[in-house]
Amino acid sequence: AAWLGINIFLFTYYFLFFDQDERYFYTRAILGSALAWARASAKCLNFNSMLILLPVCRNLLSFLRGTCSCCRRTLRKQLDHNLTFHKLVAYTLALLTAVHTIAHLFNLERYNHSQQATDGSLPAVLSKMHLQGSNMWLNPIHSNRTTVEYVAFTTIPGLTGVIITLALILMVTSSTEFIRRNYFEVFWYTHHLFLIYFAGLVIHGIAGLVRGQTEESMEEVHPHRCAQYLTKKDEDCSHDCCKDPEFGSIPAESWKWVLAPLLLYTFERILRVWRARQKVVVTKVVMHPARVLELQMQKKGFRMEVGQYIFVNCPAISLLEWHPFTLTSAPEEDYFSIHIRAAGDWTERLIDTFQQQNAEMPRIEVDGPFGTASEDVFQYEVAMLVGAGIGVTPFASILKSIWYKFQQADQTLKTKKIYFYWLCRDTGAFAWFNDLLASLEQKMAESGKADFLTYRLFLTGWNTSIANNVALHFDTTTDTVTGLRHKTIFGRPMWNSEFAAVAAAHPRSVVGVFLCGPGSLAKSLQKSCHQHSSLDPRKVKFYFNKENF
């Protein structure tokens, strides 16, 4: 809301400013209100270009999460929307670029029309002033043969404007869900056009094609007093307004807006490159069902919290591609691990590389860890953890950490109850963390806290053979699908019933709802959080948190 308000204020203020500023009286005589549209959108473009890099400074966000640990929950939750804000700013840049470009196309057409005019009007007279001296011109088009296309592709503002617009179009279109999911490499490489975008933005206004009357000239021949004499000036004129006005360029300001974010982002990248160069040792490789690869690694100085994620690069596959993966290990362990599901060209090749027999272990580079919403899970008395498929990974880290806390009899654990929901399409996926869940069941039973964790496993895809097998062994103490004490549920959760049960069991608690899964599931959970949260601050409240990479 604050960002939107600032954009509206900037656009309105500078629209009125350029529409009333006396320095641009003569410029408006040629261009009309299109000047105000172009300049106001330019100011908003500078403001949003200043913001676009901040949400992807992951080290900065992780640092802020750490320093905000004592702050209000709502303040910390804003950091979890960094990618949403990044996309929102990007779409705003695209909209403002369209407004700015269209306004300048009108400006160029009016410049061209005024240059060709011979009716003795004020725009025509102003457009011929370049004939009287090098500093006298106001209209950048000095020839009747000059076209709009010529100005767009031969001047610094025109050429950089075309390049900036093309770079922005490519970045925005390649960021769509379809491209990112199916052609990640296209998204990854195209997104680095931001370097060209910022380079073009900084030099875009250097040439200063849009000009206004200089302060010195205004003191001698103020436009309100002297504009009328420009169109009916005698050769032997001796009036104070007989002197022609002089014009100067509007100074380039884009660099002032983006300098600090660019320096901050450069420092961020240097830090990440340095950290990524630290040696990583792969200590164990496990191939799980459903083409899921587990890598256990060690790295000097590596420290993590539950639910965090890292970026992984394999130079043998691609020197430039870095992919995010949630850590599945616990902070108490002497290694860190990730689970990689085959979901594209890069992951397929990585899994194939590690599966090769008698092959040399490929080198892995790691950048991170970085903070996520799941870090806050132990800040809630009651937590609901929802994972879909491989989205269980951050909760594996949390559940492992809980296991270690029970082992060490940790008395500082604030969380009193955890509800864990895992949705899978096939039975093989449950094998990833069966051992972990079985160990948790046993350990909590031994420590007298068997009711600490309630978990529900949902199988959303099955066939008749699986259903028949379950029916035959329905009376067994353990589940035929997972081997655990809790029976697997066929179908999807009824979230209204689940939330109502949690609200009834914890009527005066603050419940944290954590999801790692698709957007459709996020909408359902967010809706349920709003429906089942009480308006009374003394009663149950549900706070929704979603993983974002």
Side-chain angles (χ1 to χ4, degrees):
W3 163 81
L4 181 61
I6 293 173
N7 270 292
I8 294 173
F9 170 78
L10 282 175
F11 192 92
T12 304
Y13 175 80
Y14 281 105
F15 186 90
L16 297 175
F17 171 78
F18 282 104
D19 210 31
Q20 297 178 6
D21 193 343
E22 294 176 346
R23 292 176 299 173
Y24 306 106
F25 178 89
Y26 292 118
T27 314
R28 288 196 301 273
I30 298 176
L31 302 179
S33 61
L35 172 65
W37 283 96
R39 300 307 299 175
S41 58
K43 293 295 182 181
C44 291
L45 276 168
N46 289 335
F47 171 67
N48 286 279
S49 296
M50 176 184 72
L51 298 178
I52 191 71
L53 289 177
L54 298 180
V56 291
C57 289
R58 300 177 188 273
N59 285 299
L60 173 64
L61 296 180
S62 297
F63 171 76
L64 290 177
R65 289 193 67 88
T67 56
C68 291
S69 58
C70 298
C71 298
R72 293 192 310 163
R73 183 180 290 111
T74 52
L75 178 61
R76 288 170 58 78
K77 279 172 63 66
Q78 298 306 313
L79 298 176
D80 300 328
H81 301 297
N82 61 313
L83 292 185
T84 301
F85 182 65
H86 178 73
K87 294 174 186 177
L88 193 60
V89 173
Y91 293 140
T92 304
L93 284 175
L95 176 63
L96 291 170
T97 298
V99 173
H100 186 72
T101 302
I102 292 170
H104 271 316
L105 288 175
F106 275 103
N107 289 337
L108 288 175
E109 190 60 40
R110 288 172 180 173
Y111 273 138
N112 196 36
H113 179 74
S114 299
Q115 169 61 30
Q116 296 177 4
T118 57
D119 55 1
S121 62
L122 182 58
V125 172
L126 290 170
S127 298
K128 303 297 190 296
M129 293 190 69
H130 65 276
L131 301 173
Q132 303 178 30
S134 59
N135 199 38
M136 303 296 291
W137 65 273
L138 181 62
N139 189 336
I141 297 179
H142 299 163
S143 170
N144 291 342
R145 295 186 298 273
T146 303
T147 63
V148 173
E149 293 79 8
Y150 179 83
V151 175
F153 289 98
T154 59
T155 62
I156 292 177
L159 188 58
T160 55
V162 170
I163 292 173
I164 289 172
T165 303
L166 289 176
L168 190 61
I169 290 173
L170 288 172
M171 285 189 288
V172 171
T173 54
S174 67
S175 300
T176 57
E177 187 77 10
F178 177 79
I179 297 295
R180 283 192 296 110
R181 295 293 182 189
N182 298 283
Y183 305 98
F184 184 84
E185 294 83 358
V186 175
F187 158 75
W188 180 259
Y189 291 119
T190 306
H191 231 58
H192 284 77
L193 291 173
F194 81 91
L195 297 171
I196 295 176
Y197 172 85
F198 278 100
L201 184 68
V202 168
I203 64 177
H204 180 61
I206 289 179
L209 289 188
V210 178
R211 293 160 65 90
Q213 191 173 1
T214 63
E215 296 287 350
E216 296 79 6
S217 176
M218 286 188 64
E219 292 179 0
E220 296 179 341
V221 284
H222 197 279
H224 285 177
R225 180 166 51 88
C226 301
Q228 57 183 323
Y229 293 97
L230 279 177
T231 56
K232 51 182 180 180
K233 187 186 300 183
D234 298 328
E235 291 185 2
D236 55 348
C237 178
S238 59
H239 195 274
D240 290 343
C241 293
C242 293
K243 186 175 181 180
D244 290 327
E246 295 186 0
F247 304 100
S249 300
I250 301 175
E253 295 182 347
S254 295
W255 67 273
K256 298 178 183 178
W257 291 82
V258 301
L259 179 61
L262 282 173
L263 290 175
L264 181 64
Y265 186 78
T266 301
F267 175 75
E268 164 96 5
R269 296 302 301 183
I270 292 173
L271 176 61
R272 291 179 64 176
V273 169
W274 173 80
R275 191 166 55 186
R277 294 300 178 186
Q278 308 301 310
K279 185 179 179 181
V280 175
V281 179
V282 179
T283 57
K284 189 176 182 181
V285 178
V286 181
M287 193 65 206
H288 294 284
R291 293 274 289 172
V292 174
L293 175 72
E294 179 184 357
L295 296 180
Q296 296 183 8
M297 297 167 281
Q298 290 180 331
K299 181 180 178 181
K300 185 178 180 181
F302 187 92
R303 295 181 179 85
M304 62 165 287
E305 298 293 337
V306 293
Q308 291 187 326
Y309 68 97
I310 59 175
F311 276 86
V312 175
N313 169 259
C314 181
I317 298 176
S318 173
L319 291 173
L320 299 178
E321 285 187 47
W322 291 80
H323 293 258
F325 295 96
T326 306
L327 291 164
T328 54
S329 53
E332 293 83 358
E333 293 174 317
D334 61 354
Y335 65 89
F336 62 96
S337 65
I338 56 175
H339 284 64
I340 303 170
R341 178 173 62 89
D345 295 340
W346 189 89
T347 50
E348 289 279 5
R349 291 173 62 188
L350 182 70
I351 292 172
D352 290 339
T353 301
F354 275 97
Q355 279 188 311
Q356 291 177 4
Q357 300 293 330
N358 302 322
E360 184 180 355
M361 187 80 73
R363 183 165 62 93
I364 294 293
E365 295 182 352
V366 170
D367 179 25
F370 301 106
T372 65
S374 295
E375 282 186 63
D376 297 337
V377 67
F378 295 136
Q379 301 297 320
Y380 294 89
E381 293 181 1
V382 181
M384 296 175 66
L385 314 180
V386 183
I390 198 66
V392 73
T393 49
F395 309 129
S397 174
I398 293 169
L399 295 177
K400 281 184 180 180
S401 184
I402 290 172
W403 190 87
Y404 281 106
K405 290 180 186 299
F406 277 113
Q407 287 275 63
Q408 300 164 5
D410 190 345
Q411 301 298 320
T412 63
L413 185 61
K414 181 180 178 180
T415 306
K416 305 301 180 185
K417 179 68 176 181
I418 286 183
Y419 296 88
F420 174 49
Y421 305 85
W422 188 9
L423 289 69
C424 285
R425 292 180 180 176
D426 56 86
T427 57
F430 287 123
W432 301 338
F433 300 113
N434 268 7
D435 293 342
L436 172 61
L437 290 173
S439 299
L440 277 170
E441 278 185 331
Q442 181 182 356
K443 185 61 186 176
M444 285 184 291
E446 292 173 354
S447 59
K449 293 185 178 181
D451 60 342
F452 177 85
L453 173 66
T454 297
Y455 66 88
R456 300 181 187 276
L457 308 181
F458 295 85
L459 185 62
T460 59
W462 69 90
N463 53 38
T464 54
S465 62
I466 296 176
N468 291 334
N469 186 44
V470 171
L472 288 173
H473 300 85
F474 181 78
D475 295 329
T476 57
T477 56
T478 58
D479 184 58
T480 57
V481 176
T482 63
L484 299 170
R485 296 176 187 175
H486 285 66
K487 301 287 185 174
T488 300
I489 302 171
F490 290 79
R492 300 181 182 277
M494 301 294 291
W495 290 118
N496 281 332
S497 300
E498 298 292 341
F499 274 79
V502 173
H506 310 279
R508 293 180 177 83
S509 297
V510 176
V511 182
V513 181
F514 296 85
L515 168 68
C516 187
S520 57
L521 182 55
K523 291 179 181 178
S524 299
L525 291 176
Q526 196 163 19
K527 182 179 178 181
S528 295
C529 285
H530 289 305
Q531 288 179 343
H532 294 275
S533 290
S534 173
L535 295 176
D536 189 339
R538 295 169 296 180
K539 296 183 179 180
V540 65
K541 293 285 185 183
F542 289 90
Y543 288 92
F544 180 71
N545 304 269
K546 185 180 184 301
E547 295 295 309
N548 293 290
F549 299 118

